Amino acid sequence: MKNEAIKIFQKKKSNILEKWMTLQLQDEGLREDLISNEDLRIQSEELLSSFISTLSDANIEHVSIDDFEAVKDILSSISISRAKQGYSPRETGNFVLTLKEALLNTLSEEMKDPEALYKQSMFINKIMDNFAINTFETFIKGREDVIYRQTDEITQISTPVIRVWDGILALPIIGTLDSARTQVVMESLLQEIVETGSNIAILDISGVPAVDSLVAQHLIKTVAATRLMGAECIISGIRPEIAQTVVHLGIDLSQIITKSTLASALKTAFTILKLEVNKKQIVKHH
Amino acid sequence: MTTMTPVVLNKDSMIIAREQDVVPFRNRVKEHAVRIGMSLLNQTKLITGASELVRNMLKYGKGGIGMIEILSKGRDNGIRLIFADNGPGIPDIQKAMTDGFTTGKSMGLGLPGTKRLMNEFDIKSEVGKGTTITVIKWKNG
Ligand SMILES: Nc1ncnc2c1ncn2[C@@H]1O[C@H](COP(=O)(O)OP(=O)(O)OP(=O)(O)O)[C@@H](O)[C@H]1O
Ligand SMILES: [Mg+2]
């Protein structure tokens, strides 16, 4: 190893760690509720060791980021776990930026020749900036994962099966009926049919913004599955603009009982079950 | 006046890489449609067509990019959507545009149906290079 900066880093490692820790703890944004100082030190030490041991004469001069895969992996896992724990981007970014500060600071204390110091500082800058960008990318990815997980959770909770009448189930569908959603809807519907011995299921799509060929196919499949269970399925809540669009697309829903409102679907269900709803006759006594 | 080309007032784009991108893209299209005062029926046709093309891009084109442009032509405003992917391309466009033709065990309605829902529809595809589909829906079209 001839590179002066590497020699300095190796010699001053514990010193750098102390500096880095001080800088991190100075940051007003640091949340002690999310990580203990002890854990922060362990994370920091792991990263610093990995970084210093990866540095070589070759990669410090021609920043070859591929050499730093191991360092990046540590950094990525820290960023992702921070994103999931609810850290701010600032806190996460500061983790790398304070390391850069500690490294540059150490170099300037140890190196006497200004030209050499400038050169080495530029290398460190370049590597660290690259890490910083990487940190933000993975941090955002971590946040996206959180969003996707929440989407899945919403899918689960937003498909209630309602027993509107003895033998009649209603399923209001709100949002898009994608493949995952259809699976959930179908499973809970079929299960309720078995459990309640219902003969009719009403699928209300008032809350579905668009019926494209995929959604239509899912509806058709759900109706077919319901019929296989010996029950009838009515689709209600088809708004006029949806009806026209479906026709233009060329989708054939003629095999399915469709109604514009939940009320008219319920009426049809009563007819199928031979039920009659009457206004109570008030008999006047003289 | 008949050969007037539309002016692009505003541009927006989104990368489409997974199924979770379908709804956000469609919502973005809807926002723009509402902003130019498009009728509810035309909005519904537009987002349904957008849905078809985005889904095709995901299913057959390995994802791609969806672009939204607000157009102005004379007194009318409209929305142009461009879907570009670097997927396998479509060997026989005429066949793909036929009702019921599918290589994905589906209904084969996405392309021909979307053409019926839009005012303008253009498809360019090259095998091994990718597919670009451009559609326009006018506010009062
Ligand atoms: N972006 C694309 N890249 C490659 N091939 C495509 C693309 N879009 C469509 N195709 C081809 O064209 C065919 C017809 O597409 P279309 O959307 O009309 O029907 P589908 O997707 O098969 O069924 P549906 O849309 O009714 O669910 C597809 O099956 C596929 O082979
Ligand atoms: Mg399709």
Side-chain angles (χ1 to χ4, degrees), chain B residues 36 38 41-43 45-46 71 76-81 116-120 135-141:
Chain B
I36 65 167
M38 191 178 276
L41 177 60
N42 283 356
Q43 269 180 44
K45 287 180 175 177
L46 179 68
L71 304 181
D76 210 359
N77 283 348
I79 289 185
R80 173 155 61 205
L81 302 177
R116 287 187 289 267
L117 292 173
M118 300 295 169
N119 297 115
E120 283 169 47
V135 299
I136 297 179
K137 187 81 198 162
W138 295 108
K139 184 176 143 184
N140 304 311

Side-chain angles (χ1 to χ4, degrees), chain A residues 213-214, chain B residues 51-53 55-57 59-60 101-102 106-112 114:
Chain A
S213 61
L214 187 76
Chain B
S51 210
E52 294 294 345
L53 300 179
R55 290 208 158 111
N56 277 354
M57 204 155 71
K59 187 170 173 185
Y60 307 109
F101 176 82
T102 178
S106 196
M107 296 199 285
L109 291 174
L111 291 178
T114 302

Side-chain angles (χ1 to χ4, degrees), chain A residues 212-215 217 249 251, chain B residues 51-63 83-93 95-114 123-125 130-133:
Chain A
D212 58 14
S213 61
L214 187 76
V215 173
Q217 232 182 342
L249 255 186
I251 297 166
Chain B
S51 210
E52 294 294 345
L53 300 179
V54 170
R55 290 208 158 111
N56 277 354
M57 204 155 71
L58 281 170
K59 187 170 173 185
Y60 307 109
K62 299 186 221 126
F83 300 88
D85 67 60
N86 298 317
I90 303 174
D92 189 339
I93 291 182
K95 230 178 180 175
M97 290 301 299
T98 313
D99 276 329
F101 176 82
T102 178
T103 58
K105 297 198 181 73
S106 196
M107 296 199 285
L109 291 174
L111 291 178
T114 302
I123 174 166
K124 291 197 170 59
S125 190
T131 304
T132 300
I133 298 178

Side-chain angles (χ1 to χ4, degrees), chain A residues 282-286:
Chain A
I282 297 168
V283 184
K284 282 191 187 144
H285 295 278
H286 297 281

Side-chain angles (χ1 to χ4, degrees), chain A residues 15-26:
Chain A
N15 198 289
I16 295 170
L17 181 63
E18 285 323 308
K19 273 196 179 119
W20 185 19
M21 287 307 298
T22 312
L23 286 167
Q24 288 191 71
L25 296 173
Q26 257 172 16

Side-chain angles (χ1 to χ4, degrees), chain B residues 20-32:
Chain B
Q20 284 95 330
D21 296 330
V22 176
V23 174
F25 179 78
R26 229 169 50 187
N27 288 347
R28 189 91 64 89
V29 172
K30 179 159 176 126
E31 270 169 37
H32 288 290

Side-chain angles (χ1 to χ4, degrees), chain A residues 47-82:
Chain A
L47 187 78
L48 183 63
S49 301
S50 170
F51 174 65
I52 293 179
S53 64
T54 311
L55 281 174
S56 71
D57 289 344
N59 64 27
I60 196 169
E61 305 226 350
H62 313 277
V63 181
S64 151
I65 284 305
D66 294 342
D67 284 5
F68 293 93
E69 275 313 315
V71 184
K72 274 195 177 173
D73 283 348
I74 297 173
L75 209 52
S76 299
S77 74
I78 292 174
S79 313
I80 288 204
S81 79
R82 287 189 170 201

Side-chain angles (χ1 to χ4, degrees), chain A residues 12-268:
Chain A
K12 291 276 166 185
K13 189 179 150 193
S14 55
N15 198 289
I16 295 170
L17 181 63
E18 285 323 308
K19 273 196 179 119
W20 185 19
M21 287 307 298
T22 312
L23 286 167
Q24 288 191 71
L25 296 173
Q26 257 172 16
D27 180 31
E28 286 172 3
L30 190 82
R31 311 254 290 273
E32 281 171 35
D33 54 325
L34 291 177
I35 188 167
S36 69
N37 287 355
E38 200 44 48
D39 289 343
L40 187 64
R41 178 177 285 273
I42 293 169
Q43 278 187 352
S44 305
E45 192 167 2
E46 189 192 4
L47 187 78
L48 183 63
S49 301
S50 170
F51 174 65
I52 293 179
S53 64
T54 311
L55 281 174
S56 71
D57 289 344
N59 64 27
I60 196 169
E61 305 226 350
H62 313 277
V63 181
S64 151
I65 284 305
D66 294 342
D67 284 5
F68 293 93
E69 275 313 315
V71 184
K72 274 195 177 173
D73 283 348
I74 297 173
L75 209 52
S76 299
S77 74
I78 292 174
S79 313
I80 288 204
S81 79
R82 287 189 170 201
K84 290 186 177 158
Q85 288 174 57
Y87 275 83
S88 69
R90 183 201 159 86
E91 285 167 307
T92 311
N94 243 324
F95 184 63
V96 181
L97 296 175
T98 47
L99 171 61
K100 172 164 133 177
E101 203 178 330
L103 289 171
L104 292 177
N105 201 295
T106 308
L107 279 186
S108 76
E109 279 170 14
E110 300 291 317
M111 291 179 78
K112 300 289 169 275
D113 177 16
E115 200 175 320
L117 172 62
Y118 175 76
K119 209 172 142 207
Q120 298 300 340
S121 300
M122 286 310 281
F123 293 142
I124 294 304
N125 251 322
K126 201 162 173 191
I127 298 173
M128 287 293 143
D129 288 352
N130 206 291
F131 287 161
I133 291 170
N134 202 56
T135 303
F136 282 119
E137 276 174 357
T138 35
F139 179 80
I140 288 171
K141 224 179 137 282
R143 279 292 165 93
E144 278 174 355
D145 288 346
V146 172
I147 295 170
Y148 291 137
R149 209 184 52 225
Q150 286 171 344
T151 312
D152 288 346
E153 280 166 13
I154 292 167
T155 308
Q156 301 284 340
I157 56 172
S158 57
T159 44
V161 183
I162 302 161
R163 302 177 191 186
V164 275
W165 204 269
D166 200 22
I168 306 174
L169 297 175
L171 254 107
I173 298 171
I174 293 160
T176 308
L177 204 53
D178 59 17
S179 307
R181 193 83 186 282
T182 307
Q183 200 57 39
V184 175
V185 167
M186 225 194 266
E187 270 166 27
S188 43
L189 176 62
L190 299 184
Q191 196 182 338
E192 278 294 308
I193 289 176
V194 173
E195 271 174 24
T196 61
S198 295
N199 314 85
I200 294 172
I202 304 171
L203 231 57
D204 188 82
I205 60 165
S206 313
V208 176
V211 177
D212 58 14
S213 61
L214 187 76
V215 173
Q217 232 182 342
H218 287 150
L219 287 174
I220 292 168
K221 274 188 195 153
T222 308
V223 172
T226 315
R227 284 183 182 158
L228 272 178
M229 307 280 302
E232 186 52 86
C233 189
I234 303 172
I235 294 183
S236 72
I238 300 187
R239 285 171 275 128
E241 66 277 11
I242 300 266
Q244 285 193 57
T245 304
V246 163
V247 170
H248 273 107
L249 255 186
I251 297 166
D252 181 17
L253 292 182
S254 63
Q255 301 305 308
I256 299 176
I257 308 175
T258 52
K259 295 284 159 200
S260 61
T261 63
L262 185 61
S264 57
L266 198 55
K267 230 180 240 170
T268 307

